[in-house]
C-alpha cells in the first residue's frame, strides 16, 4: 500500500513538472537571433466561409526547433445557435496554434494555395509579436467577436504588425483603393450566387472608400508594398503550394444562368399561383433582411437599401383593399432603391429587379 502511495505521488510530481514545463515553454520562450516571423496567405476554398482565403502567422526558430503557426480563424461549429450568433455578430472566434507541417499538409489536402512572406523585423520586434500572441493564448484575449470586415483573421494580424512597426503597414496600393463592396466582389468572378447573396445582405456601409487591409490577399500585397524607414517589410517570399484549378466550368453559377431563370419566370408572370409564390418569396426575403439589419451587430448589414426592394409589405399585395396602395408603394420603393444603391449593387441584382417590375406590372394591369 505504501509502495502504491509513493508510486502515485511520483506520477503526480511528474505531471506537475510537465505542466509547469509546458507553461514556461509557451509563455517564457526567448527567441534566438535565428528566429523568423512570417505571414502565411492561404487561397480560397470550396466552402463559403473559406472563399476569401485565410491569414496566419508563423514563428520559427531553427536554434530551438520551435515552429508554430498561429491563426485567428478558429471557431466551434458545435456552438449553440451557431448560425444565429454568426449573423448577429455574437459568435466568438479565437486564436489557435498548430504545428507548421500539419498546417501546410491540411491546406495542400484541401487544394488551397499557401504563400509565405518572411518579415524584415528586429529581434525585439519579433519577440514583441511572439509575446503578444502568447499572452492572448493564455488569457481571454484569445477570443474575439468576429466581424466580416473590421475584425477577422487578417485584421488581427494587421493589428499585431502595427503594434511593433514604426509606421503602420501600407493601405494605399493598387487594388485596395476602392469601395469595400467592389473589393469583395472582385474575389467572386465565378461565384455569382454568392456575390448576389452578399450584395443583398450588405448595406450602405460597405460602399464607403476602403481605408484598411481586411482580406488575406490584400495583406500579402500590402506587406510587399510596405517600407519601414527605407527598408522593405518583406524580406523574401516563398510559394509552398499552388492550387490545382478544376477544369469543370460552373456555367450555372453566373448572372447569365440566373437571367435565363428570371426570363422563364417572367413568361409565367400571368399565372396567379406563380405570382403568389414570387411575392411570397419577396416578402420572406424582405423579412429576413429586415430582421438581420435590426438585430445584427455587424456594421456591414445595417442601413440596407435592399429593404426598398424586398420587405414584408409585399405580403399585402394579395389583400384586396391594400393591393392598389401596395403596388404604388412598391413602385416608389423601387425608385428609392435605384437612387440610393450603388451602381455595382444595382447591376448585380438587375435580373431580380427587372423580374420584380414585370410581376408588379402584371398585377397592376390585372387590377385595372
Amino acid at each position: 500500500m505504501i509502495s502504491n502511495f509513493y508510486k502515485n505521488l511520483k506520477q503526480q510530481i511528474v505531471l506537475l513538472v510537465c505542466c509547469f514545463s509546458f507553461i514556461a515553454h509557451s509563455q517564457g520562450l526567448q527567441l534566438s537571433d535565428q528566429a523568423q516571423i512570417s505571414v502565411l496567405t492561404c487561397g480560397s476554398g470550396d466552402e463559403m466561409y473559406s472563399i476569401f482565403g485565410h491569414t496566419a502567422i508563423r514563428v520559427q526558430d531553427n536554434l530551438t526547433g520551435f515552429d508554430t503557426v498561429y491563426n485567428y480563424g478558429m471557431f466551434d461549429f458545435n456552438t449553440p445557435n451557431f448560425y444565429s450568433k454568426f449573423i448577429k455578430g455574437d459568435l466568438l472566434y479565437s486564436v489557435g496554434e498548430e504545428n507548421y507541417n500539419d498546417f501546410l499538409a491540411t491546406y495542400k489536402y484541401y487544394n488551397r494555395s499557401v504563400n509565405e512572406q518572411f518579415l524584415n523585423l528586429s529581434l525585439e520586434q519579433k519577440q514583441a509579436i511572439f509575446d503578444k500572441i502568447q499572452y492572448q493564448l493564455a488569457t481571454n484575449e484569445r477570443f474575439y467577436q468576429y466581424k466580416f470586415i473590421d475584425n477577422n483573421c487578417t485584421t488581427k494580424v494587421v493589428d499585431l504588425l502595427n503594434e511593433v512597426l514604426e509606421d503602420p503597414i501600407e493601405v494605399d496600393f493598387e487594388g485596395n483603393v476602392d469601395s469595400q463592396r467592389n473589393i469583395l466582389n472582385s474575389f467572386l468572378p465565378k461565384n455569382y450566387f454568392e456575390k448576389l447573396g452578399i450584395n443583398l445582405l450588405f448595406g450602405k456601409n460597405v460602399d464607403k472608400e476602403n481605408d484598411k487591409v481586411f482580406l488575406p490577399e490584400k495583406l500579402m500585397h500590402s506587406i510587399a508594398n510596405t517600407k519601414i524607414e527605407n527598408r522593405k517589410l518583406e524580406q523574401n517570399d516563398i510559394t509552398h503550394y499552388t492550387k490545382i484549378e478544376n477544369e469543370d466550368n460552373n456555367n450555372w453559377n453566373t448572372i447569365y444562368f440566373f437571367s435565363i431563370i428570371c426570363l422563364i419566370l417572367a413568361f409565367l408572370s400571368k399565372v396567379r399561383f406563380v405570382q403568389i409564390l414570387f411575392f411570397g418569396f419577396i416578402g420572406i426575403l424582405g423579412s429576413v433582411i429586415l430582421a438581420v439589419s435590426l438585430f445584427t451587430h455587424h456594421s456591414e448589414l445595417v442601413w440596407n437599401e435592399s429593404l426598398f426592394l424586398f420587405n414584408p409589405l409585399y405580403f399585402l399585395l394579395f389583400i384586396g383593399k391594400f393591393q392598389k396602395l401596395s403596388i404604388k408603394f412598391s413602385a416608389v420603393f423601387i425608385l428609392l432603391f435605384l437612387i440610393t444603391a450603388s451602381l455595382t449593387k444595382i447591376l448585380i441584382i438587375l435580373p431580380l429587379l427587372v423580374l420584380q417590375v414585370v410581376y408588379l406590372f402584371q398585377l397592376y394591369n390585372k387590377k385595372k
Side-chain angles (χ1 to χ4, degrees):
M1 186 172 180
I2 295 175
S3 62
N4 287 335
F5 170 79
Y6 282 114
K7 183 178 179 181
N8 290 333
L9 180 61
K10 182 179 179 181
Q11 289 176 343
Q12 294 299 321
I13 292 172
V14 170
L15 180 61
L16 286 172
V17 169
C18 289
C19 288
F20 282 115
S21 297
F22 175 77
I23 294 171
H25 171 74
S26 61
Q27 293 187 353
L29 179 66
Q30 293 296 309
L31 300 177
S32 74
D33 56 6
Q34 293 185 27
Q36 291 181 310
I37 288 185
S38 56
V39 172
L40 297 166
T41 302
C42 306
S44 62
D46 296 327
E47 303 297 333
M48 184 60 200
Y49 70 85
S50 65
I51 204 164
F52 293 105
H54 182 59
T55 299
I57 192 162
R58 178 188 182 190
V59 179
Q60 178 186 16
D61 193 340
N62 290 331
L63 189 65
T64 61
F66 188 87
D67 195 356
T68 301
V69 174
Y70 303 94
N71 77 77
Y72 293 82
M74 307 298 291
F75 58 87
D76 184 4
F77 265 124
N78 295 319
T79 301
N81 305 312
F82 175 87
Y83 289 104
S84 61
K85 287 184 176 180
F86 178 77
I87 294 296
K88 189 178 178 182
D90 287 340
L91 184 64
L92 289 179
Y93 274 51
S94 65
V95 57
E97 54 185 331
E98 185 178 2
N99 175 270
Y100 168 72
N101 289 327
D102 293 339
F103 178 89
L104 184 59
T106 299
Y107 278 85
K108 285 183 177 180
Y109 177 80
Y110 287 106
N111 191 29
R112 296 177 62 181
S113 61
V114 180
N115 180 269
E116 183 172 20
Q117 293 170 291
F118 294 91
L119 304 181
N120 189 8
L121 302 172
S122 68
L123 180 58
E124 289 75 16
Q125 289 172 322
K126 295 173 186 177
Q127 188 68 51
I129 290 175
F130 181 69
D131 289 345
K132 178 64 175 178
I133 296 172
Q134 295 307 315
Y135 176 78
Q136 291 173 338
L137 285 169
T139 66
N140 283 335
E141 278 195 27
R142 72 180 302 165
F143 300 104
Y144 70 96
Q145 285 187 312
Y146 173 83
K147 306 297 179 186
F148 298 119
I149 291 176
D150 295 327
N151 211 23
N152 59 42
C153 66
T154 298
T155 63
K156 298 298 283 186
V157 173
V158 170
D159 292 342
L160 267 178
L161 296 179
N162 284 339
E163 279 190 28
V164 303
L165 295 175
E166 295 86 348
D167 300 303
I169 67 168
E170 186 63 54
V171 174
D172 186 5
F173 58 91
E174 185 177 356
N176 203 52
V177 183
D178 205 338
S179 71
Q180 292 171 347
R181 185 186 301 278
N182 287 341
I183 291 173
L184 289 168
N185 286 334
S186 69
F187 285 84
L188 301 167
K190 298 179 180 178
N191 302 84
Y192 172 73
F193 288 105
E194 290 87 345
K195 185 189 296 184
L196 177 63
I198 288 173
N199 282 273
L200 283 174
L201 285 173
F202 280 23
K204 292 295 294 179
N205 286 338
V206 298
D207 289 317
K208 64 184 179 183
E209 186 171 334
N210 182 49
D211 59 356
K212 62 189 66 177
V213 177
F214 65 92
L215 290 176
E217 187 177 308
K218 297 303 181 184
L219 177 55
M220 183 173 69
H221 293 308
S222 174
I223 291 172
N225 282 278
T226 296
K227 287 188 176 181
I228 307 295
E229 293 186 345
N230 297 320
R231 76 178 191 276
K232 292 188 67 174
L233 177 59
E234 180 187 79
Q235 195 168 20
N236 65 296
D237 74 298
I238 299 173
T239 299
H240 293 288
Y241 180 75
T242 302
K243 180 178 182 177
I244 300 172
E245 297 294 340
N246 191 343
E247 294 182 359
D248 294 337
N249 293 319
N250 292 331
N251 293 324
W252 58 269
N253 201 353
T254 66
I255 192 172
Y256 306 108
F257 179 76
F258 185 58
S259 297
I260 292 172
I261 294 175
C262 290
L263 186 61
I264 294 171
L265 290 173
F267 281 113
L268 299 172
S269 61
K270 293 182 180 180
V271 180
R272 176 73 173 176
F273 176 69
V274 179
Q275 288 179 352
I276 294 173
L277 286 179
F278 178 76
F279 286 117
F281 166 75
I282 295 297
I284 292 172
L285 179 60
S287 299
V288 170
I289 295 175
L290 177 61
V292 168
S293 62
L294 286 177
F295 297 105
T296 187
H297 298 311
H298 290 292
S299 61
E300 301 90 350
L301 304 183
V302 298
W303 300 110
N304 194 346
E305 68 275 29
S306 295
L307 285 169
F308 287 130
L309 282 186
F310 313 103
N311 59 71
L313 292 178
Y314 278 93
F315 290 128
L316 300 177
L317 284 171
F318 294 99
I319 301 177
K321 61 180 180 179
F322 295 118
Q323 192 174 77
K324 186 178 291 186
L325 185 62
S326 297
I327 293 173
K328 291 180 179 179
F329 269 120
S330 298
V332 173
F333 286 158
I334 290 173
L335 182 61
L336 288 172
F337 173 78
L338 293 173
I339 292 172
T340 58
S342 67
L343 179 60
T344 298
K345 184 167 184 172
I346 292 172
L347 291 176
I348 291 170
I349 299 175
L350 189 59
L352 196 55
L353 172 61
V354 172
L355 185 63
Q356 189 170 331
V357 171
V358 169
Y359 272 75
L360 284 171
F361 182 75
Q362 292 291 353
L363 205 61
Y364 176 76
N365 279 343
K366 185 175 181 180
K367 190 65 180 176
K368 287 200 305 183

